[in-house]
């Protein structure tokens, strides 16, 4: 890196701390968010939103003030997991987040759409703008930990989230089948290239317990999560089982009342 000219618009450095700060979206005066973690995945359907929800619930049960920013504008799943159907209101030019039954604050595209099944057919820059507004124009209040549920892949939205929000780290969610492909590694490499710390690699739907004998079964095969973690210097790996009761809770909006698989070990490393 050459000598700093303090002119970011003409500087090509990618590892300058000041430049990184220059791209951050400003927080409004009615929000004070202490730590932000993004939850990402290589591809869709691996349980990323479920993991985001479990993390938020586990962190909230520790007595923390928790918020979830659903950055999956075109496929928002967070309100459904928390049973939210109401629309967000606005006051004094800011949007009020929805508050769930246990006090978690949420903002999602589906909290702004009259018809939750209506598609959002926007081009990338418009979507990126909406995500920044979820940060700048929502009255978040005091938040200890915010989880950002990113859409799958390494496109525009994770890029916007990594650049515009002060991300403390990311949690990458994968499944045994996803792990054998190179897709999850793309997400890992994107985080590395953008200097975003990878806090944990979570393999969801890793195994299931036989309902008769309790033996671990591997319907998608046994994966080698640790090899990928070691290769990329990721210290923490977790495996979550397939659980029909979890699915039922997520899909009926009762994630806050689910008492099975816990994300306590994962949130422990965030604190
Ligand atoms: P993504 O956000 O990666 O697209 P979701 O979190 O929406 O994935 O999960 C996709 C579906 O899989 C949902 O119906 C969810 O309830 C279910 N699911 C996710 N993880 C599990 C699990 N460990 N056991 C059972 N069902 C799961």
């Amino acid at each position: 890196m050459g000598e700093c000219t303090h002119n970011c618009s003409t500087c090509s450095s990618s590892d300058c701390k000041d430049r990184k700060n220059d791209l951050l979206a400003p927080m409004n005066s009615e929000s004070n968010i202490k730590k932000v973690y993004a939850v990402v995945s290589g591809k869709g359907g691996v349980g990323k939103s479920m993991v985001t929800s479990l993390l938020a619930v586990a962190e909230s049960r520790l007595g923390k003030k928790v918020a979830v920013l659903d950055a999956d504008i075109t496929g928002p799943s967070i309100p459904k997991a928390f049973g939210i159907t109401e629309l967000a209101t606005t006051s004094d030019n800011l949007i009020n987040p929805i508050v769930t039954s246990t006090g978690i604050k949420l903002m999602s595209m589906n909290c702004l759409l009259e018809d939750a099944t209506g598609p959002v057919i926007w081009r990338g820059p418009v979507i990126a703008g909406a995500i920044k507004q979820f940060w700048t124009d929502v009255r978040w209040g005091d938040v200890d930990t915010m989880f950002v549920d990113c859409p799958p892949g390494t496109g525009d939205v994770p890029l916007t989230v990594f650049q515009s929000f002060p991300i403390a780290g990311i949690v990458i969610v994968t499944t045994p089948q996803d792990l054998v492909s190179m897709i999850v590694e793309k997400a890992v490499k994107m985080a590395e290239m953008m200097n975003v710390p990878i806090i944990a690699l979570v393999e969801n739907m890793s195994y299931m317990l036989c309902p008769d004998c309790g033996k671990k079964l591997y319907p998608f095969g046994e994966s080698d999560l640790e090899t990928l973690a070691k290769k990329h210097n990721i210290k923490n790996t977790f495996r979550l089982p397939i659980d029909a009761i979890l699915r039922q809770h997520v899909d009926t909006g009762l994630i806050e009342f689910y008492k099975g698989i816990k994300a306590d070990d994962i949130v422990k490393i965030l604190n």
Side-chain angles (χ1 to χ4, degrees), residues 41 43-53 72 75 77 80 149-150 152 173 204-207 240-251 261:
S41 66
K43 65 182 178 68
V46 299
K48 173 187 48 61
S49 302
M50 185 282 292
V51 170
T52 307
S53 309
D72 200 344
S77 322
K80 188 163 173 250
D149 189 30
C150 287
V173 183
N204 186 34
M205 308 194 211
S206 189
Y207 60 91
L240 302 179
I242 297 171
D243 179 8
I245 298 172
L246 169 63
R247 191 210 55 77
Q248 205 180 7
H249 277 74
V250 173
D251 295 349
I261 304 161

PDB file of all heavy atoms in Angstrom, residues 41 43-53 72 75 77 80 149-150 152 173 204-207 240-251 261, ligand 1:
ATOM      1  N   SER A  41     -24.496 -18.438   3.405  1.00  0.00           N
ATOM      2  CA  SER A  41     -24.379 -19.822   2.933  1.00  0.00           C
ATOM      3  C   SER A  41     -23.979 -19.794   1.464  1.00  0.00           C
ATOM      4  O   SER A  41     -24.163 -18.779   0.784  1.00  0.00           O
ATOM      5  CB  SER A  41     -25.711 -20.563   3.093  1.00  0.00           C
ATOM      6  OG  SER A  41     -26.680 -20.003   2.246  1.00  0.00           O
ATOM      7  N   LYS A  43     -25.238 -21.895  -0.857  1.00  0.00           N
ATOM      8  CA  LYS A  43     -26.463 -22.029  -1.664  1.00  0.00           C
ATOM      9  C   LYS A  43     -27.693 -22.044  -0.771  1.00  0.00           C
ATOM     10  O   LYS A  43     -27.572 -22.092   0.457  1.00  0.00           O
ATOM     11  CB  LYS A  43     -26.384 -23.253  -2.550  1.00  0.00           C
ATOM     12  CG  LYS A  43     -26.353 -24.581  -1.847  1.00  0.00           C
ATOM     13  CD  LYS A  43     -26.229 -25.677  -2.899  1.00  0.00           C
ATOM     14  CE  LYS A  43     -26.151 -27.062  -2.317  1.00  0.00           C
ATOM     15  NZ  LYS A  43     -27.352 -27.548  -1.672  1.00  0.00           N
ATOM     16  N   GLY A  44     -28.858 -21.984  -1.411  1.00  0.00           N
ATOM     17  CA  GLY A  44     -30.107 -21.881  -0.659  1.00  0.00           C
ATOM     18  C   GLY A  44     -30.588 -23.221  -0.117  1.00  0.00           C
ATOM     19  O   GLY A  44     -30.127 -24.288  -0.542  1.00  0.00           O
ATOM     20  N   GLY A  45     -31.466 -23.158   0.856  1.00  0.00           N
ATOM     21  CA  GLY A  45     -32.113 -24.353   1.369  1.00  0.00           C
ATOM     22  C   GLY A  45     -31.293 -25.152   2.370  1.00  0.00           C
ATOM     23  O   GLY A  45     -31.681 -26.245   2.765  1.00  0.00           O
ATOM     24  N   VAL A  46     -30.159 -24.605   2.805  1.00  0.00           N
ATOM     25  CA  VAL A  46     -29.302 -25.357   3.737  1.00  0.00           C
ATOM     26  C   VAL A  46     -29.684 -25.107   5.201  1.00  0.00           C
ATOM     27  O   VAL A  46     -29.138 -25.728   6.109  1.00  0.00           O
ATOM     28  CB  VAL A  46     -27.791 -25.045   3.525  1.00  0.00           C
ATOM     29  CG1 VAL A  46     -27.342 -25.417   2.123  1.00  0.00           C
ATOM     30  CG2 VAL A  46     -27.485 -23.586   3.814  1.00  0.00           C
ATOM     31  N   GLY A  47     -30.620 -24.191   5.417  1.00  0.00           N
ATOM     32  CA  GLY A  47     -31.060 -23.910   6.788  1.00  0.00           C
ATOM     33  C   GLY A  47     -30.434 -22.656   7.369  1.00  0.00           C
ATOM     34  O   GLY A  47     -30.381 -22.487   8.583  1.00  0.00           O
ATOM     35  N   LYS A  48     -30.008 -21.744   6.496  1.00  0.00           N
ATOM     36  CA  LYS A  48     -29.359 -20.502   6.960  1.00  0.00           C
ATOM     37  C   LYS A  48     -30.309 -19.661   7.809  1.00  0.00           C
ATOM     38  O   LYS A  48     -29.922 -19.185   8.889  1.00  0.00           O
ATOM     39  CB  LYS A  48     -28.858 -19.733   5.739  1.00  0.00           C
ATOM     40  CG  LYS A  48     -28.315 -18.365   6.006  1.00  0.00           C
ATOM     41  CD  LYS A  48     -28.020 -17.651   4.723  1.00  0.00           C
ATOM     42  CE  LYS A  48     -29.156 -17.742   3.731  1.00  0.00           C
ATOM     43  NZ  LYS A  48     -30.429 -17.144   4.206  1.00  0.00           N
ATOM     44  N   SER A  49     -31.544 -19.494   7.343  1.00  0.00           N
ATOM     45  CA  SER A  49     -32.504 -18.672   8.106  1.00  0.00           C
ATOM     46  C   SER A  49     -32.853 -19.363   9.416  1.00  0.00           C
ATOM     47  O   SER A  49     -33.051 -18.698  10.439  1.00  0.00           O
ATOM     48  CB  SER A  49     -33.775 -18.426   7.297  1.00  0.00           C
ATOM     49  OG  SER A  49     -33.440 -17.798   6.103  1.00  0.00           O
ATOM     50  N   MET A  50     -32.926 -20.687   9.377  1.00  0.00           N
ATOM     51  CA  MET A  50     -33.210 -21.429  10.607  1.00  0.00           C
ATOM     52  C   MET A  50     -32.074 -21.194  11.614  1.00  0.00           C
ATOM     53  O   MET A  50     -32.316 -20.915  12.788  1.00  0.00           O
ATOM     54  CB  MET A  50     -33.355 -22.918  10.258  1.00  0.00           C
ATOM     55  CG  MET A  50     -33.774 -23.805  11.387  1.00  0.00           C
ATOM     56  SD  MET A  50     -32.444 -24.195  12.522  1.00  0.00           S
ATOM     57  CE  MET A  50     -31.370 -25.212  11.524  1.00  0.00           C
ATOM     58  N   VAL A  51     -30.819 -21.264  11.137  1.00  0.00           N
ATOM     59  CA  VAL A  51     -29.673 -21.044  12.037  1.00  0.00           C
ATOM     60  C   VAL A  51     -29.678 -19.598  12.556  1.00  0.00           C
ATOM     61  O   VAL A  51     -29.465 -19.358  13.748  1.00  0.00           O
ATOM     62  CB  VAL A  51     -28.336 -21.394  11.332  1.00  0.00           C
ATOM     63  CG1 VAL A  51     -27.135 -20.934  12.153  1.00  0.00           C
ATOM     64  CG2 VAL A  51     -28.248 -22.895  11.071  1.00  0.00           C
ATOM     65  N   THR A  52     -29.965 -18.631  11.674  1.00  0.00           N
ATOM     66  CA  THR A  52     -30.048 -17.222  12.113  1.00  0.00           C
ATOM     67  C   THR A  52     -31.065 -17.099  13.246  1.00  0.00           C
ATOM     68  O   THR A  52     -30.807 -16.472  14.279  1.00  0.00           O
ATOM     69  CB  THR A  52     -30.496 -16.307  10.940  1.00  0.00           C
ATOM     70  OG1 THR A  52     -29.651 -16.533   9.822  1.00  0.00           O
ATOM     71  CG2 THR A  52     -30.474 -14.841  11.326  1.00  0.00           C
ATOM     72  N   SER A  53     -32.224 -17.731  13.059  1.00  0.00           N
ATOM     73  CA  SER A  53     -33.296 -17.645  14.062  1.00  0.00           C
ATOM     74  C   SER A  53     -32.858 -18.313  15.364  1.00  0.00           C
ATOM     75  O   SER A  53     -33.076 -17.772  16.449  1.00  0.00           O
ATOM     76  CB  SER A  53     -34.576 -18.303  13.540  1.00  0.00           C
ATOM     77  OG  SER A  53     -34.894 -17.798  12.273  1.00  0.00           O
ATOM     78  N   ASP A  72     -32.356 -10.964   3.131  1.00  0.00           N
ATOM     79  CA  ASP A  72     -32.812 -11.773   1.996  1.00  0.00           C
ATOM     80  C   ASP A  72     -34.081 -11.122   1.460  1.00  0.00           C
ATOM     81  O   ASP A  72     -35.200 -11.515   1.785  1.00  0.00           O
ATOM     82  CB  ASP A  72     -33.057 -13.224   2.458  1.00  0.00           C
ATOM     83  CG  ASP A  72     -33.056 -14.199   1.289  1.00  0.00           C
ATOM     84  OD1 ASP A  72     -33.174 -13.719   0.142  1.00  0.00           O
ATOM     85  OD2 ASP A  72     -32.946 -15.412   1.515  1.00  0.00           O
ATOM     86  N   GLY A  75     -36.234 -13.407  -0.867  1.00  0.00           N
ATOM     87  CA  GLY A  75     -36.722 -14.671  -0.289  1.00  0.00           C
ATOM     88  C   GLY A  75     -36.747 -14.618   1.234  1.00  0.00           C
ATOM     89  O   GLY A  75     -36.133 -15.434   1.907  1.00  0.00           O
ATOM     90  N   SER A  77     -37.389 -15.196   4.950  1.00  0.00           N
ATOM     91  CA  SER A  77     -37.977 -16.311   5.722  1.00  0.00           C
ATOM     92  C   SER A  77     -38.062 -16.003   7.202  1.00  0.00           C
ATOM     93  O   SER A  77     -38.665 -16.749   7.957  1.00  0.00           O
ATOM     94  CB  SER A  77     -37.130 -17.577   5.581  1.00  0.00           C
ATOM     95  OG  SER A  77     -36.615 -17.726   4.323  1.00  0.00           O
ATOM     96  N   LYS A  80     -41.551 -15.448   9.023  1.00  0.00           N
ATOM     97  CA  LYS A  80     -42.318 -16.694   9.118  1.00  0.00           C
ATOM     98  C   LYS A  80     -41.854 -17.538  10.309  1.00  0.00           C
ATOM     99  O   LYS A  80     -42.665 -18.075  11.062  1.00  0.00           O
ATOM    100  CB  LYS A  80     -42.163 -17.477   7.808  1.00  0.00           C
ATOM    101  CG  LYS A  80     -43.067 -18.678   7.721  1.00  0.00           C
ATOM    102  CD  LYS A  80     -43.187 -19.180   6.295  1.00  0.00           C
ATOM    103  CE  LYS A  80     -43.965 -20.472   6.274  1.00  0.00           C
ATOM    104  NZ  LYS A  80     -43.166 -21.630   5.955  1.00  0.00           N
ATOM    105  N   ASP A 149     -29.362 -11.917   8.211  1.00  0.00           N
ATOM    106  CA  ASP A 149     -29.589 -13.122   7.408  1.00  0.00           C
ATOM    107  C   ASP A 149     -29.379 -12.752   5.941  1.00  0.00           C
ATOM    108  O   ASP A 149     -30.188 -12.058   5.340  1.00  0.00           O
ATOM    109  CB  ASP A 149     -31.026 -13.612   7.650  1.00  0.00           C
ATOM    110  CG  ASP A 149     -31.279 -14.984   7.028  1.00  0.00           C
ATOM    111  OD1 ASP A 149     -30.326 -15.781   6.927  1.00  0.00           O
ATOM    112  OD2 ASP A 149     -32.432 -15.256   6.631  1.00  0.00           O
ATOM    113  N   CYS A 150     -28.257 -13.189   5.373  1.00  0.00           N
ATOM    114  CA  CYS A 150     -27.919 -12.844   3.989  1.00  0.00           C
ATOM    115  C   CYS A 150     -28.560 -13.835   3.028  1.00  0.00           C
ATOM    116  O   CYS A 150     -28.747 -14.995   3.383  1.00  0.00           O
ATOM    117  CB  CYS A 150     -26.409 -12.903   3.774  1.00  0.00           C
ATOM    118  SG  CYS A 150     -25.515 -11.572   4.527  1.00  0.00           S
ATOM    119  N   PRO A 152     -28.441 -16.516  -0.083  1.00  0.00           N
ATOM    120  CA  PRO A 152     -27.342 -17.431  -0.413  1.00  0.00           C
ATOM    121  C   PRO A 152     -26.420 -16.888  -1.501  1.00  0.00           C
ATOM    122  O   PRO A 152     -26.841 -16.050  -2.303  1.00  0.00           O
ATOM    123  CB  PRO A 152     -28.078 -18.686  -0.900  1.00  0.00           C
ATOM    124  CG  PRO A 152     -29.446 -18.249  -1.256  1.00  0.00           C
ATOM    125  CD  PRO A 152     -29.759 -17.058  -0.398  1.00  0.00           C
ATOM    126  N   VAL A 173     -23.177 -21.306   6.996  1.00  0.00           N
ATOM    127  CA  VAL A 173     -24.004 -22.502   7.160  1.00  0.00           C
ATOM    128  C   VAL A 173     -23.887 -23.357   5.902  1.00  0.00           C
ATOM    129  O   VAL A 173     -23.932 -22.848   4.780  1.00  0.00           O
ATOM    130  CB  VAL A 173     -25.487 -22.122   7.400  1.00  0.00           C
ATOM    131  CG1 VAL A 173     -26.327 -23.366   7.649  1.00  0.00           C
ATOM    132  CG2 VAL A 173     -25.608 -21.158   8.579  1.00  0.00           C
ATOM    133  N   ASN A 204     -25.409 -27.950   8.935  1.00  0.00           N
ATOM    134  CA  ASN A 204     -26.792 -28.243   9.311  1.00  0.00           C
ATOM    135  C   ASN A 204     -27.226 -29.534   8.624  1.00  0.00           C
ATOM    136  O   ASN A 204     -26.652 -29.920   7.609  1.00  0.00           O
ATOM    137  CB  ASN A 204     -27.670 -27.055   8.890  1.00  0.00           C
ATOM    138  CG  ASN A 204     -29.093 -27.209   9.365  1.00  0.00           C
ATOM    139  OD1 ASN A 204     -29.356 -27.767  10.433  1.00  0.00           O
ATOM    140  ND2 ASN A 204     -30.034 -26.726   8.577  1.00  0.00           N
ATOM    141  N   MET A 205     -28.226 -30.186   9.173  1.00  0.00           N
ATOM    142  CA  MET A 205     -28.756 -31.451   8.627  1.00  0.00           C
ATOM    143  C   MET A 205     -27.625 -32.471   8.490  1.00  0.00           C
ATOM    144  O   MET A 205     -27.561 -33.242   7.545  1.00  0.00           O
ATOM    145  CB  MET A 205     -29.450 -31.222   7.279  1.00  0.00           C
ATOM    146  CG  MET A 205     -30.495 -30.125   7.323  1.00  0.00           C
ATOM    147  SD  MET A 205     -31.542 -30.129   5.897  1.00  0.00           S
ATOM    148  CE  MET A 205     -31.955 -28.398   5.733  1.00  0.00           C
ATOM    149  N   SER A 206     -26.725 -32.391   9.455  1.00  0.00           N
ATOM    150  CA  SER A 206     -25.514 -33.200   9.432  1.00  0.00           C
ATOM    151  C   SER A 206     -25.827 -34.684   9.612  1.00  0.00           C
ATOM    152  O   SER A 206     -25.217 -35.543   8.975  1.00  0.00           O
ATOM    153  CB  SER A 206     -24.650 -32.700  10.586  1.00  0.00           C
ATOM    154  OG  SER A 206     -23.399 -33.252  10.545  1.00  0.00           O
ATOM    155  N   TYR A 207     -26.775 -34.972  10.505  1.00  0.00           N
ATOM    156  CA  TYR A 207     -27.132 -36.363  10.826  1.00  0.00           C
ATOM    157  C   TYR A 207     -28.537 -36.369  11.382  1.00  0.00           C
ATOM    158  O   TYR A 207     -29.150 -35.307  11.598  1.00  0.00           O
ATOM    159  CB  TYR A 207     -26.153 -36.933  11.861  1.00  0.00           C
ATOM    160  CG  TYR A 207     -26.134 -36.182  13.163  1.00  0.00           C
ATOM    161  CD1 TYR A 207     -26.967 -36.551  14.228  1.00  0.00           C
ATOM    162  CD2 TYR A 207     -25.310 -35.063  13.337  1.00  0.00           C
ATOM    163  CE1 TYR A 207     -26.970 -35.837  15.420  1.00  0.00           C
ATOM    164  CE2 TYR A 207     -25.315 -34.347  14.531  1.00  0.00           C
ATOM    165  CZ  TYR A 207     -26.147 -34.737  15.561  1.00  0.00           C
ATOM    166  OH  TYR A 207     -26.163 -34.028  16.738  1.00  0.00           O
ATOM    167  N   LEU A 240     -25.351 -29.671  13.327  1.00  0.00           N
ATOM    168  CA  LEU A 240     -26.723 -29.703  13.826  1.00  0.00           C
ATOM    169  C   LEU A 240     -27.475 -30.836  13.128  1.00  0.00           C
ATOM    170  O   LEU A 240     -27.327 -31.034  11.915  1.00  0.00           O
ATOM    171  CB  LEU A 240     -27.436 -28.373  13.540  1.00  0.00           C
ATOM    172  CG  LEU A 240     -26.794 -27.102  14.119  1.00  0.00           C
ATOM    173  CD1 LEU A 240     -27.613 -25.883  13.719  1.00  0.00           C
ATOM    174  CD2 LEU A 240     -26.674 -27.192  15.637  1.00  0.00           C
ATOM    175  N   PRO A 241     -28.305 -31.576  13.884  1.00  0.00           N
ATOM    176  CA  PRO A 241     -29.024 -32.700  13.269  1.00  0.00           C
ATOM    177  C   PRO A 241     -30.278 -32.277  12.502  1.00  0.00           C
ATOM    178  O   PRO A 241     -30.743 -31.142  12.624  1.00  0.00           O
ATOM    179  CB  PRO A 241     -29.427 -33.536  14.489  1.00  0.00           C
ATOM    180  CG  PRO A 241     -29.547 -32.546  15.590  1.00  0.00           C
ATOM    181  CD  PRO A 241     -28.555 -31.453  15.316  1.00  0.00           C
ATOM    182  N   ILE A 242     -30.818 -33.204  11.749  1.00  0.00           N
ATOM    183  CA  ILE A 242     -32.142 -33.012  11.142  1.00  0.00           C
ATOM    184  C   ILE A 242     -33.142 -33.295  12.263  1.00  0.00           C
ATOM    185  O   ILE A 242     -33.015 -34.288  12.976  1.00  0.00           O
ATOM    186  CB  ILE A 242     -32.375 -34.025   9.994  1.00  0.00           C
ATOM    187  CG1 ILE A 242     -31.357 -33.800   8.878  1.00  0.00           C
ATOM    188  CG2 ILE A 242     -33.807 -33.953   9.482  1.00  0.00           C
ATOM    189  CD1 ILE A 242     -31.382 -34.886   7.807  1.00  0.00           C
ATOM    190  N   ASP A 243     -34.094 -32.410  12.435  1.00  0.00           N
ATOM    191  CA  ASP A 243     -35.062 -32.594  13.509  1.00  0.00           C
ATOM    192  C   ASP A 243     -36.441 -32.158  13.010  1.00  0.00           C
ATOM    193  O   ASP A 243     -36.658 -30.968  12.728  1.00  0.00           O
ATOM    194  CB  ASP A 243     -34.627 -31.764  14.727  1.00  0.00           C
ATOM    195  CG  ASP A 243     -35.608 -31.891  15.884  1.00  0.00           C
ATOM    196  OD1 ASP A 243     -36.531 -32.720  15.794  1.00  0.00           O
ATOM    197  OD2 ASP A 243     -35.457 -31.137  16.862  1.00  0.00           O
ATOM    198  N   ALA A 244     -37.353 -33.115  12.910  1.00  0.00           N
ATOM    199  CA  ALA A 244     -38.688 -32.826  12.373  1.00  0.00           C
ATOM    200  C   ALA A 244     -39.439 -31.833  13.254  1.00  0.00           C
ATOM    201  O   ALA A 244     -40.219 -31.016  12.759  1.00  0.00           O
ATOM    202  CB  ALA A 244     -39.484 -34.123  12.253  1.00  0.00           C
ATOM    203  N   ILE A 245     -39.163 -31.871  14.561  1.00  0.00           N
ATOM    204  CA  ILE A 245     -39.878 -30.951  15.470  1.00  0.00           C
ATOM    205  C   ILE A 245     -39.370 -29.521  15.266  1.00  0.00           C
ATOM    206  O   ILE A 245     -40.129 -28.558  15.311  1.00  0.00           O
ATOM    207  CB  ILE A 245     -39.731 -31.412  16.946  1.00  0.00           C
ATOM    208  CG1 ILE A 245     -40.384 -32.797  17.057  1.00  0.00           C
ATOM    209  CG2 ILE A 245     -40.369 -30.434  17.918  1.00  0.00           C
ATOM    210  CD1 ILE A 245     -40.198 -33.499  18.357  1.00  0.00           C
ATOM    211  N   LEU A 246     -38.080 -29.410  14.996  1.00  0.00           N
ATOM    212  CA  LEU A 246     -37.505 -28.090  14.682  1.00  0.00           C
ATOM    213  C   LEU A 246     -38.166 -27.541  13.416  1.00  0.00           C
ATOM    214  O   LEU A 246     -38.610 -26.397  13.376  1.00  0.00           O
ATOM    215  CB  LEU A 246     -35.986 -28.207  14.489  1.00  0.00           C
ATOM    216  CG  LEU A 246     -35.279 -26.979  13.916  1.00  0.00           C
ATOM    217  CD1 LEU A 246     -35.390 -25.783  14.837  1.00  0.00           C
ATOM    218  CD2 LEU A 246     -33.803 -27.274  13.652  1.00  0.00           C
ATOM    219  N   ARG A 247     -38.235 -28.373  12.392  1.00  0.00           N
ATOM    220  CA  ARG A 247     -38.845 -27.941  11.125  1.00  0.00           C
ATOM    221  C   ARG A 247     -40.275 -27.448  11.342  1.00  0.00           C
ATOM    222  O   ARG A 247     -40.673 -26.396  10.858  1.00  0.00           O
ATOM    223  CB  ARG A 247     -38.838 -29.081  10.097  1.00  0.00           C
ATOM    224  CG  ARG A 247     -39.203 -28.620   8.695  1.00  0.00           C
ATOM    225  CD  ARG A 247     -39.886 -29.682   7.866  1.00  0.00           C
ATOM    226  NE  ARG A 247     -41.065 -30.232   8.488  1.00  0.00           N
ATOM    227  CZ  ARG A 247     -42.254 -29.628   8.556  1.00  0.00           C
ATOM    228  NH1 ARG A 247     -42.413 -28.421   8.057  1.00  0.00           N
ATOM    229  NH2 ARG A 247     -43.275 -30.215   9.152  1.00  0.00           N
ATOM    230  N   GLN A 248     -40.985 -28.211  12.166  1.00  0.00           N
ATOM    231  CA  GLN A 248     -42.371 -27.849  12.459  1.00  0.00           C
ATOM    232  C   GLN A 248     -42.444 -26.473  13.152  1.00  0.00           C
ATOM    233  O   GLN A 248     -43.276 -25.634  12.802  1.00  0.00           O
ATOM    234  CB  GLN A 248     -42.910 -28.914  13.405  1.00  0.00           C
ATOM    235  CG  GLN A 248     -44.389 -29.082  13.382  1.00  0.00           C
ATOM    236  CD  GLN A 248     -44.773 -30.190  14.375  1.00  0.00           C
ATOM    237  OE1 GLN A 248     -43.946 -30.701  15.141  1.00  0.00           O
ATOM    238  NE2 GLN A 248     -46.023 -30.539  14.366  1.00  0.00           N
ATOM    239  N   HIS A 249     -41.543 -26.249  14.122  1.00  0.00           N
ATOM    240  CA  HIS A 249     -41.538 -24.970  14.839  1.00  0.00           C
ATOM    241  C   HIS A 249     -41.174 -23.814  13.904  1.00  0.00           C
ATOM    242  O   HIS A 249     -41.795 -22.762  13.952  1.00  0.00           O
ATOM    243  CB  HIS A 249     -40.553 -25.015  16.022  1.00  0.00           C
ATOM    244  CG  HIS A 249     -41.130 -25.645  17.248  1.00  0.00           C
ATOM    245  ND1 HIS A 249     -41.326 -27.003  17.366  1.00  0.00           N
ATOM    246  CD2 HIS A 249     -41.571 -25.109  18.410  1.00  0.00           C
ATOM    247  CE1 HIS A 249     -41.855 -27.268  18.553  1.00  0.00           C
ATOM    248  NE2 HIS A 249     -42.011 -26.136  19.202  1.00  0.00           N
ATOM    249  N   VAL A 250     -40.143 -24.029  13.065  1.00  0.00           N
ATOM    250  CA  VAL A 250     -39.708 -22.960  12.146  1.00  0.00           C
ATOM    251  C   VAL A 250     -40.841 -22.638  11.180  1.00  0.00           C
ATOM    252  O   VAL A 250     -41.179 -21.475  10.948  1.00  0.00           O
ATOM    253  CB  VAL A 250     -38.455 -23.382  11.334  1.00  0.00           C
ATOM    254  CG1 VAL A 250     -38.104 -22.345  10.268  1.00  0.00           C
ATOM    255  CG2 VAL A 250     -37.262 -23.593  12.247  1.00  0.00           C
ATOM    256  N   ASP A 251     -41.439 -23.674  10.643  1.00  0.00           N
ATOM    257  CA  ASP A 251     -42.417 -23.455   9.577  1.00  0.00           C
ATOM    258  C   ASP A 251     -43.778 -22.994  10.093  1.00  0.00           C
ATOM    259  O   ASP A 251     -44.636 -22.582   9.314  1.00  0.00           O
ATOM    260  CB  ASP A 251     -42.538 -24.716   8.698  1.00  0.00           C
ATOM    261  CG  ASP A 251     -41.217 -24.990   7.964  1.00  0.00           C
ATOM    262  OD1 ASP A 251     -40.337 -24.105   7.988  1.00  0.00           O
ATOM    263  OD2 ASP A 251     -41.056 -26.074   7.381  1.00  0.00           O
ATOM    264  N   ILE A 261     -32.813 -28.646  19.707  1.00  0.00           N
ATOM    265  CA  ILE A 261     -31.425 -28.264  19.367  1.00  0.00           C
ATOM    266  C   ILE A 261     -31.190 -26.817  19.779  1.00  0.00           C
ATOM    267  O   ILE A 261     -31.994 -25.943  19.464  1.00  0.00           O
ATOM    268  CB  ILE A 261     -31.217 -28.348  17.835  1.00  0.00           C
ATOM    269  CG1 ILE A 261     -31.560 -29.720  17.315  1.00  0.00           C
ATOM    270  CG2 ILE A 261     -29.809 -27.942  17.445  1.00  0.00           C
ATOM    271  CD1 ILE A 261     -31.811 -29.721  15.813  1.00  0.00           C
TER     272      ILE A 261
HETATM  273  P1  LIG B   1     -32.197 -21.285   3.810  1.00  0.00           P
HETATM  274  O1  LIG B   1     -32.335 -20.048   4.625  1.00  0.00           O
HETATM  275  O2  LIG B   1     -30.782 -21.788   3.759  1.00  0.00           O
HETATM  276  O3  LIG B   1     -32.794 -21.190   2.434  1.00  0.00           O
HETATM  277  P2  LIG B   1     -34.163 -22.376   5.650  1.00  0.00           P
HETATM  278  O4  LIG B   1     -33.598 -21.974   6.961  1.00  0.00           O
HETATM  279  O5  LIG B   1     -35.309 -21.571   5.107  1.00  0.00           O
HETATM  280  O6  LIG B   1     -33.001 -22.458   4.554  1.00  0.00           O
HETATM  281  O7  LIG B   1     -34.551 -23.923   5.754  1.00  0.00           O
HETATM  282  C1  LIG B   1     -35.160 -24.610   4.659  1.00  0.00           C
HETATM  283  C2  LIG B   1     -36.160 -25.620   5.221  1.00  0.00           C
HETATM  284  O8  LIG B   1     -35.473 -26.646   5.918  1.00  0.00           O
HETATM  285  C3  LIG B   1     -37.164 -25.013   6.209  1.00  0.00           C
HETATM  286  O9  LIG B   1     -38.415 -25.633   6.026  1.00  0.00           O
HETATM  287  C4  LIG B   1     -36.573 -25.387   7.574  1.00  0.00           C
HETATM  288  O10 LIG B   1     -37.568 -25.506   8.584  1.00  0.00           O
HETATM  289  C5  LIG B   1     -35.958 -26.762   7.261  1.00  0.00           C
HETATM  290  N1  LIG B   1     -34.814 -27.044   8.127  1.00  0.00           N
HETATM  291  C6  LIG B   1     -33.681 -26.337   8.248  1.00  0.00           C
HETATM  292  N2  LIG B   1     -32.832 -26.925   9.092  1.00  0.00           N
HETATM  293  C7  LIG B   1     -33.440 -28.059   9.536  1.00  0.00           C
HETATM  294  C8  LIG B   1     -33.066 -29.125  10.441  1.00  0.00           C
HETATM  295  N3  LIG B   1     -31.896 -29.131  11.048  1.00  0.00           N
HETATM  296  N4  LIG B   1     -33.985 -30.124  10.651  1.00  0.00           N
HETATM  297  C9  LIG B   1     -35.173 -30.125  10.013  1.00  0.00           C
HETATM  298  N5  LIG B   1     -35.563 -29.166   9.147  1.00  0.00           N
HETATM  299  C10 LIG B   1     -34.715 -28.156   8.905  1.00  0.00           C
END
